[in-house]
Amino acid sequence: QVQLVESGGGSVQAGGSLRLSCAASGSIFRVNAMGWYRQGPGKQRELVAIITSGGSPNYADSVKGRFTISRDDAKNTVYLQMNSLKPEDTDVYYCQVRASMRFDPWTQGDYWGQGTQVTVSL
């Protein structure tokens, strides 16, 4: 079973920075794409950033130029560097990993972290 542990959330003033981490563990055969989503009260979960297995990133327009997604395949970890934070970035952030298991390496599944709160104040 794949487990995702998120860290790095917290409270920061507008203009500040935070770095989120998400480490995957378990009986993993291969980790493919990894990404970050966020969701606030009464809102749909939205994509923030995704990074492919080849290291190619994609960003939501709202965070482009401010956030950077990266990955460390040796650690099965995905990061989200968040700079120039705005109050509207306040949300719970969830990491997502697409991975296959050792016992069934041909079948991929999507796994989610527990979420970490990011709060940006004025």
Side-chain angles (χ1 to χ4, degrees):
Q1 185 64 41
V2 176
Q3 293 180 320
L4 304 181
V5 179
E6 300 182 29
S7 62
S11 298
V12 66
Q13 291 186 339
S17 298
L18 287 172
R19 186 174 187 248
L20 306 182
S21 298
C22 176
S25 62
S27 301
I28 300 170
F29 176 75
R30 180 174 62 247
V31 174
N32 296 302
M34 297 185 287
W36 291 93
Y37 293 74
R38 63 188 181 186
Q39 186 173 25
K43 300 172 65 178
Q44 288 187 310
R45 187 170 297 186
E46 65 175 353
L47 173 69
V48 177
I50 285 180
I51 186 166
T52 68
S53 61
S56 180
N58 290 288
Y59 300 96
D61 289 340
S62 60
V63 307
K64 195 171 298 182
R66 299 187 297 120
F67 292 9
T68 302
I69 188 171
S70 61
R71 62 190 289 164
D72 185 341
D73 290 329
K75 298 179 179 180
N76 283 336
T77 299
V78 60
Y79 305 94
L80 186 67
Q81 178 67 46
M82 304 184 293
N83 298 325
S84 301
L85 284 162
K86 305 174 181 179
E88 46 263 49
D89 294 320
T90 296
D91 267 320
V92 177
Y93 285 69
Y94 300 88
C95 66
Q96 184 225 33
V97 170
R98 173 157 287 193
S100 58
M101 307 298 288
R102 291 177 181 174
F103 66 90
D104 187 8
W106 299 109
T107 302
Q108 297 184 100
D110 293 323
Y111 301 89
W112 294 87
Q114 79 280 6
T116 184
Q117 177 69 48
V118 171
T119 302
V120 184
S121 61
L122 293 172

